[in-house]
Amino acid sequence: MFNRTRCLQITAALASISLVAGCGLLSDDTDAAAKRITVGTTSAPSTLDPAAAWDGSWELYRNIFQTLLAFPTGSTKPQPDAAQSCEFTDTANMAYRCVLRKNLKFSDGEPLDSKAVKHSLDRIRTINSQVGPKGLFESLDKIEAPDALTVVFHLKTPDATFPYVLGSPAASLVAPKEYPADKLRSDGKVTGSGPYVLTSYKEGAEAVLGGYDGYQGFANRRNDAVTIRYFKKSDEMVAALKNKEIDATYRGLSAAEIKDLQSPASHNAGVQVVENVGSEIRYLVFNPKDPQVAKPQVRQAIAQLVDRGALVTKVYQGTAEPLYSMVPKGVVGHKTPFYDLYGNADVAKARKILQSAGINTPVELTFWYTTDRYGGSTADEFTELKRQLEESNLFKITLRGKPWKDFQVGYKNGEYPVFGRGWFPDFPDPDNFIAPFVGKDNAVGTPYENPTIQNEILPKSRRESDRAAGVKEFETAQQIFAQDVRLLPLWQGKLYVGAREDIAGAERALDPQTAMQMWELYRKTSW
């Protein structure tokens, strides 16, 4: 999704880490659960309707909506949630059947049955939102509901990754009476069946969650209620953490703020920070509608000039590492094709690439980025990219930024020649770092048709239930990405969660999609 930064950074599977060591005995869980947890983030939902979001809105969805399958802490394969069991019914991986738990209900009392499941997923494809998750359901042909508890998904082609899609918030289940089949819900309310209900919501400011007693699923809620506060600026969020106005942060910290929270002064003030290697990536997208960017030599010259090491050192101060593939470290099949093809930054090689194509320099381009989605370092990142490219005298770069909602509309409409995006995995599989970026209706809004990837590599790999068996196919896809340079990977981040020292459970709070599982957080009352 898209977009989808906190003190925990996540690999394809979450590592177990201790937020606070040697801090004393925990209080009784009943006392801990009775207290509200307040969490800060810079990633506010773009919409409350799952049919129109393939982005950081998933972080809220994971807590208020249920899915047939999900990823409990530590799991790399989807496990039952609203379903009691799911399985492929054929050896070709083209028919997938789920049997629901009995007596499931949405928070409004409406039954969560097979018809509700069919309604929830059919409406995604019917509404076909430009910024929605329809692209994840490309292999789905039709859904049948033969009885109240049974759902059968018939696929167009074999797809062993389909259960992973059903385990993502893209497949959030919604109440049919409240969510129209052919249009988005417009009353600003939510009706789900997840561990929490949304008791109040102020767009861009706050989401208040209360426990849903009717929830049946894998989650074990350790608190009664959670307030999520949305911050425009990460420095305001850090100040709120230090001032005890919030209990934890989980997205949007800048490198300087991470270093500050890791300092002895912050530790003495009762703030803890946890770090883990993760699968968050950042990259540039090139839009071939632009006459300059349409020239592969322009894209290749930029790939030849970008110094990822300098970018990471100057802007991210060790909180990220250079990335030379769209498939990050820690994910099956990771290689370094952009380094293999372009090596270190080299002005002479870049100049030769442009001269051989008769391209006049400096090439003038506008780079776009979002001002409020990925944290306070984004503007500095693009300033550094501009410096690197202009220092070569081969490019003249203009920078432009927009808030996420406006930025999202712009790139989906093909308005930006070059723009920056972040990617947090929809599910922990190399397919999810390849497939979303190709095809007519891909995740970045710039059609990228590649028959080899679309018609050969992905279909072949999706026939393999053993996901490691498709490594060679994914290696080939990464090489094609490097040759075409329609996307330019920049860095792989580390995910940080800052928390007050009386908050426990952060070591279990992130799922493989890097969404915060709020139910894992609870308050210690004795130290």
Side-chain angles (χ1 to χ4, degrees):
M1 245 335 226
F2 273 126
N3 80 49
R4 295 163 219 121
T5 291
R6 333 134 167 103
C7 167
L8 266 166
Q9 179 83 13
I10 179 164
T11 58
L14 282 172
S16 177
I17 47 183
S18 175
L19 181 62
V20 182
C23 293
L25 299 175
L26 300 185
S27 66
D28 182 81
D29 283 348
T30 303
D31 294 334
K35 297 187 177 181
R36 176 178 295 276
I37 304 295
T38 302
V39 180
T41 177
T42 60
S43 182
S46 57
T47 176
L48 293 180
D49 192 323
W54 194 359
D55 60 16
S57 304
W58 284 16
E59 294 161 347
L60 178 60
Y61 299 170
R62 174 54 76 202
N63 294 278
I64 58 178
F65 294 110
Q66 205 169 6
T67 46
L68 289 171
L69 301 168
F71 293 89
T73 300
S75 66
T76 57
K77 294 183 178 180
Q79 306 297 323
D81 188 13
Q84 67 177 19
S85 65
C86 291
E87 62 181 354
F88 279 106
T89 60
D90 65 335
T91 57
N93 293 338
M94 291 188 65
Y96 194 70
R97 180 178 62 204
C98 290
V99 178
L100 294 170
R101 298 177 190 264
K102 296 180 180 179
N103 301 317
L104 290 175
K105 293 184 182 297
F106 291 102
S107 58
D108 66 348
E110 189 175 349
L112 198 174
D113 55 15
S114 59
K115 291 182 179 179
V117 174
K118 176 175 168 58
H119 173 88
S120 298
L121 302 187
D122 279 346
R123 68 188 295 269
I124 294 172
R125 299 187 296 165
T126 299
I127 294 171
N128 193 22
S129 169
Q130 194 176 30
V131 292
K134 182 185 177 182
L136 285 171
F137 295 93
E138 287 185 346
S139 65
L140 179 59
D141 182 19
K142 63 180 180 178
I143 305 172
E144 292 180 340
D147 60 56
L149 295 180
T150 305
V151 187
V152 182
F153 301 92
H154 295 279
L155 308 182
K156 301 173 187 175
T157 57
D159 187 1
T161 70
F162 188 71
Y164 292 78
V165 176
L166 292 182
S168 76
S172 295
L173 304 177
V174 298
K177 290 182 180 179
E178 303 292 347
Y179 291 82
D182 57 356
K183 61 181 179 181
L184 298 175
R185 184 171 181 173
S186 59
D187 63 0
K189 297 180 180 179
V190 165
T191 309
S193 61
Y196 297 95
V197 292
L198 185 65
T199 59
S200 70
Y201 181 73
K202 297 178 181 178
E203 185 175 358
E206 181 180 82
V208 179
L209 313 183
Y212 175 42
D213 293 336
Y215 167 74
Q216 295 185 57
F218 75 92
N220 178 25
R221 200 172 62 247
R222 304 295 301 275
N223 57 67
D224 282 346
V226 174
T227 296
I228 305 173
R229 287 183 56 188
Y230 300 112
F231 291 85
K232 296 292 186 183
K233 298 180 179 180
S234 57
D235 59 346
E236 295 173 353
M237 180 172 66
V238 171
L241 180 64
K242 290 182 176 181
N243 293 333
K244 302 182 181 181
E245 297 169 12
I246 60 175
D247 298 304
T249 69
Y250 73 101
R251 186 180 293 282
L253 296 172
S254 71
E257 288 158 354
I258 292 166
K259 293 295 185 182
D260 175 49
L261 292 177
Q262 291 173 328
S263 70
S266 292
H267 178 76
N268 292 337
V271 176
Q272 298 292 327
V273 176
V274 179
E275 167 193 320
N276 195 18
V277 177
S279 52
E280 170 198 2
I281 68 172
R282 298 289 171 83
Y283 56 97
L284 293 178
V285 182
F286 296 101
N287 185 353
K289 290 183 179 179
D290 180 82
Q292 292 284 35
V293 174
K295 303 169 186 176
Q297 295 84 0
V298 169
R299 306 194 301 267
Q300 291 165 0
I302 293 174
Q304 187 65 72
L305 288 172
V306 170
D307 187 339
R308 295 168 177 81
L311 178 67
V312 168
T313 299
K314 292 181 179 181
V315 178
Y316 291 100
Q317 303 175 39
T319 63
E321 59 182 317
L323 181 64
Y324 297 93
S325 169
M326 291 298 288
V327 179
K329 285 184 179 180
V331 175
V332 173
H334 165 77
K335 292 292 181 179
T336 58
F338 278 85
Y339 185 82
D340 300 339
L341 191 58
Y342 301 101
N344 294 320
D346 192 312
V347 175
K349 289 182 179 179
R351 181 180 294 110
K352 185 176 180 180
I353 291 171
L354 294 173
Q355 288 178 341
S356 66
I359 297 172
N360 295 325
T361 58
V363 178
E364 296 187 6
L365 292 172
T366 300
F367 281 30
W368 288 83
Y369 62 93
T370 177
T371 57
D372 61 353
R373 172 60 53 166
Y374 304 127
S377 297
T378 305
D380 294 336
E381 174 181 338
F382 275 77
T383 298
E384 171 61 15
L385 289 171
K386 172 183 168 72
R387 184 198 66 80
Q388 291 183 11
L389 295 176
E390 291 189 342
E391 194 174 64
S392 71
N393 294 319
L394 300 176
F395 289 89
K396 177 66 177 176
I397 307 298
T398 300
L399 299 181
R400 294 283 186 269
K402 282 187 176 182
W404 173 252
K405 269 198 167 183
D406 297 331
F407 176 81
Q408 191 179 33
V409 172
Y411 77 71
K412 280 292 186 178
N413 288 333
E415 297 174 6
Y416 310 147
V418 184
F419 57 97
R421 287 298 315 280
W423 185 256
F424 302 86
D426 301 316
F427 50 83
D429 189 276
D431 184 286
N432 195 235
F433 293 92
I434 301 293
F437 304 108
V438 295
K440 182 179 179 181
D441 298 315
N442 62 35
V444 292
T446 54
Y448 176 20
E449 302 286 343
N450 188 286
T452 301
I453 295 177
Q454 293 171 259
N455 302 332
E456 298 177 25
I457 291 174
L458 291 176
K460 183 177 180 180
S461 68
R462 288 174 176 177
R463 287 193 288 269
E464 299 288 351
S465 297
D466 178 4
R467 302 306 297 143
V471 166
K472 288 186 178 180
E473 284 74 32
F474 291 122
E475 290 177 354
T476 301
Q478 291 172 78
Q479 292 169 0
I480 293 172
F481 275 7
Q483 292 163 0
D484 291 351
V485 201
R486 287 291 305 277
L487 307 155
L488 183 64
L490 297 173
W491 55 265
Q492 176 176 351
K494 299 174 183 178
L495 203 56
Y496 295 87
V497 170
R500 302 298 309 178
E501 62 183 1
D502 64 335
I503 298 299
E507 74 279 3
R508 296 180 54 82
L510 295 179
D511 73 1
Q513 294 139 345
T514 70
M516 180 73 89
Q517 301 176 139
M518 300 294 179
W519 59 83
E520 295 285 3
L521 301 176
Y522 63 97
R523 191 181 306 280
K524 298 179 180 180
T525 58
S526 177
W527 292 86

